Amino acid sequence: MVSHASVAAELAQLSPALSPTEFARELIVKADSDVFATFASSTLFTEDRLHKVGVKIINLLSTSTDKTLEEAITKIGNDLNLLVESCSASATAPKVPRVRFGKTNEMVSILTCGGMRQQQKWGPSITTMSQVEDDCQANFVEIILHSLKLGINHLETARGYGCSELQFGAALNQLFTSGEVKREDILLQTKVGAKSTKAAFRKDLELSFELLQVDYVDFFSVHGINRDKHLKWVVDNEDENNWDVIQEYLDAGKIRHVGFSSHGTTDLIAAAINTDKFSYANIHYHYFGSYTASGDGPTGGNRTTVDLLKAKNMGCFIISPFDKGGMLYKPSTKLLSLHSPSLNPIEFTACWLWQHELHSDSSVHTIVCGAARPSDLDEAAIASFGSMTKECKDLVRATDQKLKNSFDSALGKEWGQMWHVGVPNCFQTQSGVNFTLAIWLYNIIEAFGMLEYARERYKVTVGNREKWDKSATYEENMEKGDWGYCPGNAVELDEEYDSELKDVPTENRAKVLAGIRRAHKLCTMSPKEDGESELVKEDWAAAHDLRPWTAFPERG
């Protein structure tokens, strides 16, 4: 038997002639070891997973000794064999653990399968299954089946996820009818946005039930309580309270538990929690920041809302930890170097959240993976099997320290505690500039090289600024149209923002202004300019992309 490391080194001589998938296939065949034997003879031996194996090993070649490379490849093989075992019918097979989901008392898997990447299209154009491609629906069904085999019992969708509810309805009807899945095997969540009238809200909710083809949903969320008006429509809208409709569905047994999701500010999320109407909340709270709430609140993000959920005995569901939480399937070279081969960025982020009670006073119950293909669930599922072992806890602590050291080295330890203090978000400024977003992106670029992710987040604010009328007031601009899920305007380089940054401590003000300007420059540069710019560091480039193909709704 030839060592994996020596085969990998030999195959590297052929790169880039070999694709990651071809690289992995050749390595498994030529090494002829027992490490990949179980995986290679299973139905999980797919092009998608071979792509991931190849990407990971190719990355390790330049940074590992023969010994550490052999160990890392062996771990990859063992993880895949564990995945095969998990999907078996064995009574002793490892499964994604389940925890009590706050006051709902439902036992929910700590990993949720999210339905916002597996549907055919975004938008309302697809209304019947005849418009859905066969391969898309087959993939959709396989994602559900793979989830259940792994022990994931929580499936999540929304009225606003294009044709996701339509395809879920068809898939679940097929699986229930065939007997492959029972209704009690799953906890189903859907979401509908708040409306200014009960009639409009009822119409959307009834359509969700029609599309899903179910008698009840386990979890119903008011989708996107992102502005004060959304919360008002639900609980404080005189005769048009959306809650009146929700209560009807609760009384009829069609909704079992009610929660909400939010891309809003920390204060707004706290206000929704404090209505005491909801049993759980879907929020953004990630290791590298809280998405649109980054820079908010006393802790600079949604940590305070996670704490409040625990105090209220509410379920805590984390939205998009691997995508909105940092595009961790496509990490920068710098970010990847701060992680161990034994705990990659996806695995670290998942375990850090699941272990939240170990490093804080609050809990995270479940995190969602918006799977575009079955293999998207693999890394987090495998990580969940051993997420509470001493070995995993030690790895999380060590990785957390490396990341903190990198932040302190790039930006200073005091900055890590003070960067958000006095910095306003876009709802607190006449210019509508999202200062908290800009300075947060500056931080993660400098500390972790997360430039591509930062550009994805910032480009929406550039579009928002182009629509903004500087001759009108903030209120007049907001009356013309809302920002949507990514609020705020981009920075203008020639503005000093003296009045809007007046609450920033004097000792921080110059660095905040310089930071938001640098973030703007970096995020508005064309990627083609990166190699020639002194602003961009070499290790900010993407190390790899674990996605083997473009997701269906992203194909246009």
Side-chain angles (χ1 to χ4, degrees):
M1 181 181 71
V2 186
S3 75
H4 300 102
S6 61
V7 173
E10 176 189 330
L11 292 173
Q13 302 302 313
L14 303 176
S15 186
L18 291 177
S19 70
T21 301
E22 293 166 334
F23 185 100
R25 193 186 300 277
E26 287 291 312
L27 182 141
I28 291 170
V29 170
K30 290 189 174 182
D32 191 27
S33 74
D34 293 335
V35 171
F36 290 94
T38 302
F39 167 62
S41 61
S42 77
T43 57
L44 298 184
F45 188 74
T46 63
E47 299 281 304
D48 291 1
R49 292 186 177 88
L50 287 172
H51 169 84
K52 291 185 176 186
V53 171
V55 160
K56 291 173 183 176
I57 296 174
I58 289 168
N59 259 314
L60 289 165
L61 282 167
S62 60
T63 58
S64 306
T65 64
D66 282 353
K67 183 176 183 296
T68 58
L69 179 59
E70 191 68 28
E71 290 172 352
I73 294 174
T74 299
K75 180 188 181 297
I76 291 170
N78 288 339
D79 282 350
L80 288 167
N81 293 336
L82 193 63
L83 188 73
V84 174
E85 184 185 353
S86 176
C87 291
S88 74
S90 169
T92 59
K95 300 294 180 184
V96 174
R98 296 178 184 179
V99 296
R100 187 180 69 86
F101 194 41
K103 66 177 73 173
T104 73
N105 289 322
E106 301 287 356
M107 294 301 291
V108 66
S109 53
I110 64 174
L111 181 63
T112 291
C113 175
M116 68 176 300
R117 289 279 182 272
Q118 65 198 80
Q119 77 277 22
Q120 182 78 56
K121 278 189 176 182
W122 289 102
S125 63
I126 292 182
T127 57
T128 67
M129 284 303 297
S130 62
Q131 297 170 273
V132 176
E133 296 170 10
D134 290 346
D135 57 344
C136 178
Q137 187 62 9
N139 180 66
F140 202 107
V141 171
E142 281 304 313
I143 290 172
I144 294 174
L145 288 173
H146 188 53
S147 297
L148 295 173
K149 287 176 183 176
L150 292 169
I152 297 169
N153 68 341
H154 188 197
L155 309 177
E156 175 248 7
T157 182
R159 180 81 288 280
Y161 291 173
C163 52
S164 180
E165 285 183 326
L166 172 72
Q167 291 182 247
F168 254 116
L172 292 176
N173 184 53
Q174 171 191 327
L175 295 172
F176 293 158
T177 302
S178 69
E180 291 176 86
V181 179
K182 297 177 182 177
R183 177 63 182 88
E184 56 267 30
D185 292 339
I186 66 170
L187 295 170
L188 181 62
Q189 176 181 170
T190 196
K191 307 186 291 293
V192 170
K195 298 291 185 295
S196 60
T197 68
K198 287 195 294 191
F201 182 74
R202 185 188 300 276
K203 182 179 179 181
D204 253 10
L205 184 53
E206 288 177 350
L207 180 56
S208 285
F209 272 88
E210 179 185 328
L211 293 170
L212 288 169
Q213 302 181 53
V214 293
D215 296 326
Y216 68 93
V217 293
D218 302 275
F219 304 119
F220 171 74
S221 300
V222 180
H223 197 187
I225 296 183
N226 301 331
R227 308 287 183 268
D228 292 343
K229 66 181 180 182
H230 299 149
L231 183 57
K232 180 181 175 67
W233 291 344
V234 178
V235 299
D236 188 25
N237 200 25
E238 298 180 344
D239 294 335
E240 296 295 342
N241 278 350
N242 293 180
W243 190 268
D244 295 342
V245 178
I246 294 171
Q247 189 63 53
E248 289 178 28
Y249 276 70
L250 280 166
D251 293 343
K254 298 186 76 172
I255 290 172
R256 295 178 62 192
H257 307 286
V258 183
F260 70 91
S261 70
S262 181
H263 300 255
T265 64
T266 299
D267 287 345
L268 176 58
I269 295 170
I273 293 170
N274 282 323
T275 64
D276 292 324
K277 288 283 192 181
F278 304 101
S279 297
Y280 65 91
N282 301 358
I283 63 171
H284 287 283
Y285 173 69
H286 313 126
Y287 184 88
F288 297 104
S290 296
Y291 190 40
T292 50
S294 279
D296 281 351
T299 60
N302 274 337
R303 166 64 191 276
T304 48
T305 59
V306 175
D307 293 347
L308 186 56
L309 289 171
K310 174 69 178 292
K312 297 279 188 177
N313 190 28
M314 290 172 64
C316 180
F317 173 115
I318 301 302
I319 304 170
S320 195
F322 312 131
D323 183 49
K324 300 299 189 295
M327 287 174 57
L328 302 180
Y329 45 79
K330 195 178 181 182
S332 70
T333 300
K334 181 173 185 178
L335 182 62
L336 190 63
S337 73
L338 296 168
H339 291 74
S340 159
S342 299
L343 201 70
N344 67 33
I346 288 175
E347 296 164 337
F348 165 74
T349 293
C351 292
W352 181 83
L353 286 166
W354 291 325
Q355 294 175 16
H356 200 264
E357 207 160 21
L358 302 180
H359 51 79
S360 73
D361 296 324
S362 51
S363 312
V364 166
H365 298 118
T366 188
I367 67 177
V368 67
C369 175
R373 51 197 73 82
S375 64
D376 287 351
L377 297 162
D378 293 354
E379 278 80 16
I382 293 167
S384 78
F385 302 153
S387 57
M388 289 300 168
T389 63
K390 181 181 183 302
E391 179 185 10
C392 184
K393 291 172 186 176
D394 289 345
L395 279 169
V396 168
R397 277 192 291 267
T399 304
D400 175 47
Q401 192 58 57
K402 286 173 72 174
L403 290 163
K404 285 176 177 174
N405 290 345
S406 182
F407 188 101
D408 293 346
S409 176
L411 296 161
K413 193 165 188 175
E414 285 189 17
W415 180 252
Q417 300 168 342
M418 296 288 292
W419 65 270
H420 60 279
V421 176
V423 180
N425 64 42
C426 53
F427 302 106
Q428 300 167 317
T429 64
Q430 281 300 306
S431 66
V433 170
N434 203 339
F435 293 102
T436 52
L437 174 76
I439 197 63
W440 165 56
L441 296 180
Y442 162 74
N443 289 345
I444 62 174
I445 293 170
E446 298 294 335
F448 312 121
M450 298 171 72
L451 178 57
E452 185 169 353
Y453 168 71
R455 283 174 172 163
E456 284 295 311
R457 304 278 61 80
Y458 194 74
K459 71 180 181 183
V460 183
T461 69
V462 175
N464 291 342
R465 189 183 69 181
E466 290 170 355
K467 300 170 189 172
W468 192 263
D469 183 357
K470 292 181 69 175
S471 66
T473 64
Y474 173 91
E475 290 74 19
E476 289 168 341
N477 272 291
M478 293 304 287
E479 284 176 11
K480 293 177 184 177
D482 202 298
W483 283 310
Y485 286 95
C486 299
N489 297 330
V491 172
E492 295 192 70
L493 294 178
D494 57 351
E495 292 286 345
E496 294 294 328
Y497 297 116
D498 289 337
S499 63
E500 300 193 297
L501 297 178
K502 65 183 188 313
D503 294 330
V504 176
T506 304
E507 63 272 23
N508 278 10
R509 203 168 301 163
K511 188 167 182 176
V512 167
L513 188 59
I516 62 175
R517 286 172 171 169
R518 179 166 166 81
H520 177 85
K521 289 177 183 176
L522 287 165
C523 290
T524 53
M525 285 173 56
S526 165
K528 294 178 182 178
E529 301 175 67
D530 288 354
E532 301 171 4
S533 173
E534 294 180 356
L535 292 175
V536 178
K537 297 179 181 177
E538 189 176 343
D539 62 356
W540 293 357
H544 62 231
D545 190 342
L546 290 178
R547 298 170 298 178
W549 42 266
T550 303
F552 283 98
E554 295 167 10
R555 296 179 185 183

